[in-house]
Amino acid sequence: MKLQWSKKYIAMGLVAFLVVAASILFLLFLLKIDVVLSVMSKIFSILMPIILGLAFAYLLNPILVFFEEKCFRKLLKKNLDKNPSSRLPRILSITVTVLTVLLCLGGLLSIILPQLAGSIKGLFDKIPGYLEAAKNWGDQTIAGNKMLSSLLGNSLDGLINSAQSLLEKATPTINQLIGNVTDFVIGSAIGVVNGVKNFVLGIIISIYVMFSKEKFAAQTKKILYALFSKQHTDRILRNTRRTHHIFGGFVTGKLLDSLIIGIITFVVLFIVKMPYAVLISVIIGVTNVIPFFGPIIGAIPCAVILLFEDPLKALLFIIIIIIIQQFDGNLLGPKILGDSTGLPAFWVIFAILLGGGLFGFLGMLLGVPTFAVVYSLLKTLIEERLKKKNQPSDTLAYIGN
């Protein structure tokens, strides 16, 4: 009896100690949050090649499975019958997958980048003409209004003197700004080098992950079954498969959908001889990956660019984009994505705003599938608990009660 009481008090003391320790750690986290975030940022930067490698492997896995199952295993069937453990189909599939993706990206960039650069250069070349036109319009407006002309004429000398004085005071700031710009250029160059390094290392790591993906999955299951009961592990694996279905289906489907929309936009704009067709198509394709708000975010700057060129072309562009987005929203999108998220419209908007506010563009893209996973898991948990309490799980049953 005394032994049972001692075990009980030891357990209570251990729980109390863990609660106090956790509270102290949480307080230190709040007091030193800047240091914690700096350390986390450093760790994240160090692990970036591994993170990219896992992301590349995840995105390339459907292509790998296609080549391995549909092509090389059928072509090498006789060899596999003699040696079932042969890894030749996997090696060939990884090689073809990586080469195919790199060649497609290289070809796409070699086509897009020159035209994109030409479109941007042409736009900047026309900016002085836009400014000159604005100046002429302002001069004509002032000349046609005596009161406005008199008012500006009296204050013109004062404005010039103020501008000269401001320029003299701003000279040190300008010199400092030039130094900051120089530092920014150097930092950007270093960032580009690090980005290329992380990309190359990410590709190499993704090859290792794809080659041994079954072994990594088996090791993960082994650890889970060692740490948790069979019931809890089975639930974790079910939720992992559901997460993969929601998250992977949405991301890969949305990327494919945006690529198709970008191509369709370019073809239509090229047919109607719209200026800056490549630049506009890239903007529309990239922003289309953002659910709900993406078409609006992409269409506004494109319409402003065309408005300076020709207001009628800007109007035509808006009509074209509305038609394309109706096609995407009602036909193409549902065909590719289906109901991959299962989120109501309100929670889609909530996830986009929250993700965008916290993590910017990447948060707007990944906020919806991430929140969809959380929504699905919470929905399943609530329904299971209601079932145990013999309560209905249908929401309609609670209306008016």
Side-chain angles (χ1 to χ4, degrees), residues 14-141:
L14 182 60
V15 170
F17 171 77
L18 292 175
V19 170
V20 172
S23 301
I24 294 173
L25 288 175
F26 182 70
L27 180 61
L28 289 174
F29 172 78
L30 293 178
L31 294 175
K32 299 291 185 180
I33 190 168
D34 54 339
V35 178
V36 174
L37 292 177
S38 177
V39 172
M40 290 177 62
S41 176
K42 183 67 175 177
I43 295 173
F44 186 79
S45 177
I46 294 172
L47 296 178
M48 181 55 68
I50 296 176
I51 296 171
L52 287 176
L54 294 174
F56 289 158
Y58 185 76
L59 292 174
L60 296 179
N61 187 62
I63 305 175
L64 170 67
V65 171
F66 170 80
F67 280 121
E68 185 173 7
E69 300 296 333
K70 303 296 183 181
C71 300
F72 292 111
R73 286 199 174 274
K74 292 182 178 180
L75 292 174
L76 301 172
K77 189 175 185 305
K78 293 182 179 180
N79 181 51
L80 292 175
D81 290 339
K82 296 178 182 178
N83 185 13
S85 61
S86 174
R87 306 288 292 187
L88 185 59
R90 175 63 55 84
I91 295 172
L92 292 174
S93 300
I94 291 174
T95 304
V96 173
T97 298
V98 174
L99 288 177
T100 301
V101 171
L102 290 179
L103 287 174
C104 288
L105 285 176
L108 193 62
L109 291 176
S110 66
I111 294 172
I112 289 178
L113 287 181
Q115 297 194 35
L116 190 60
S119 298
I120 294 174
K121 183 179 181 300
L123 179 62
F124 275 95
D125 288 342
K126 291 183 178 181
I127 287 178
Y130 297 148
L131 295 176
E132 183 66 24
K135 180 178 178 299
N136 293 335
W137 176 82
D139 291 341
Q140 292 174 3
T141 304

Side-chain angles (χ1 to χ4, degrees), residues 6-7 34 65 78 136 165 185-186 207 232 248 259 306 338-340 349 359 378 381 385 393:
S6 63
K7 286 184 177 180
D34 54 339
V65 171
K78 293 182 179 180
N136 293 335
S165 175
V185 171
I186 295 173
I207 292 173
H232 284 90
L259 176 63
L306 292 173
D339 190 20
S340 58
I349 299 174
F359 304 106
L378 286 176
L381 177 64
R385 293 183 68 85
S393 59

Side-chain angles (χ1 to χ4, degrees), residues 351-367:
I352 294 170
L353 294 176
L354 180 62
L358 293 176
F359 304 106
F361 179 82
L362 189 62
M364 296 182 78
L365 170 61
L366 301 181

Side-chain angles (χ1 to χ4, degrees), residues 74-384:
K74 292 182 178 180
L75 292 174
L76 301 172
K77 189 175 185 305
K78 293 182 179 180
N79 181 51
L80 292 175
D81 290 339
K82 296 178 182 178
N83 185 13
S85 61
S86 174
R87 306 288 292 187
L88 185 59
R90 175 63 55 84
I91 295 172
L92 292 174
S93 300
I94 291 174
T95 304
V96 173
T97 298
V98 174
L99 288 177
T100 301
V101 171
L102 290 179
L103 287 174
C104 288
L105 285 176
L108 193 62
L109 291 176
S110 66
I111 294 172
I112 289 178
L113 287 181
Q115 297 194 35
L116 190 60
S119 298
I120 294 174
K121 183 179 181 300
L123 179 62
F124 275 95
D125 288 342
K126 291 183 178 181
I127 287 178
Y130 297 148
L131 295 176
E132 183 66 24
K135 180 178 178 299
N136 293 335
W137 176 82
D139 291 341
Q140 292 174 3
T141 304
I142 293 171
N145 191 318
K146 294 182 180 180
M147 183 181 296
L148 186 61
S149 178
S150 175
L151 179 63
L152 292 177
N154 294 332
S155 60
L156 186 58
D157 293 336
L159 288 173
I160 293 174
N161 293 331
S162 299
Q164 289 176 343
S165 175
L166 183 62
L167 185 61
E168 292 174 358
K169 293 179 181 178
T171 300
T173 306
I174 293 172
N175 294 331
Q176 183 181 358
L177 181 61
I178 292 173
N180 293 337
V181 169
T182 304
D183 294 338
F184 174 75
V185 171
I186 295 173
S188 298
I190 296 173
V192 169
V193 172
N194 288 333
V196 172
K197 180 199 72 174
N198 290 337
F199 179 82
V200 173
L201 290 176
I203 291 292
I204 296 172
I205 292 171
S206 70
I207 292 173
Y208 280 104
V209 173
M210 289 188 290
F211 185 78
S212 303
K213 59 179 183 175
E214 291 85 1
K215 184 178 180 180
F216 289 136
Q219 289 174 337
T220 304
K221 289 181 182 179
K222 180 180 176 181
I223 294 171
L224 289 174
Y225 278 113
L227 295 176
F228 306 104
S229 66
K230 184 179 184 302
Q231 180 181 1
H232 284 90
T233 302
D234 290 340
R235 174 176 291 183
I236 291 172
L237 294 176
R238 283 197 305 271
N239 291 333
T240 302
R241 295 188 190 99
R242 182 186 302 174
T243 301
H244 165 67
H245 173 74
I246 296 173
F247 198 90
F250 178 85
V251 172
T252 55
K254 196 62 182 172
L255 291 175
L256 178 60
D257 173 69
S258 299
L259 176 63
I260 295 173
I261 289 299
I263 293 173
I264 292 174
T265 303
F266 171 73
V267 171
V268 175
L269 296 183
F270 180 79
I271 291 174
V272 300
K273 298 181 179 180
M274 192 76 69
Y276 314 118
V278 176
L279 176 62
I280 292 173
S281 301
V282 171
I283 294 174
I284 294 297
V286 170
T287 55
N288 193 72
V289 300
I290 301 173
F292 200 81
F293 296 112
I296 302 173
I297 295 173
I300 290 175
C302 295
V304 171
I305 292 172
L306 292 173
L307 186 63
F308 286 108
E309 183 74 20
D310 187 343
L312 290 178
K313 288 183 178 179
L315 179 60
L316 177 61
F317 166 75
I318 293 173
I319 295 172
I320 291 172
I321 288 300
I322 291 174
I323 294 173
I324 291 176
Q325 291 305 323
Q326 288 299 315
F327 165 74
D328 182 32
N330 296 300
L331 294 175
L332 183 63
K335 187 70 175 179
I336 295 176
L337 295 171
D339 190 20
S340 58
T341 61
L343 276 181
F346 171 80
W347 293 115
V348 170
I349 299 174
F350 176 84
I352 294 170
L353 294 176
L354 180 62
L358 293 176
F359 304 106
F361 179 82
L362 189 62
M364 296 182 78
L365 170 61
L366 301 181
V368 173
T370 301
F371 193 84
V373 171
V374 175
Y375 181 88
S376 176
L377 295 177
L378 286 176
K379 181 180 178 183
T380 301
L381 177 64
I382 291 171
E383 289 179 352
E384 288 178 353

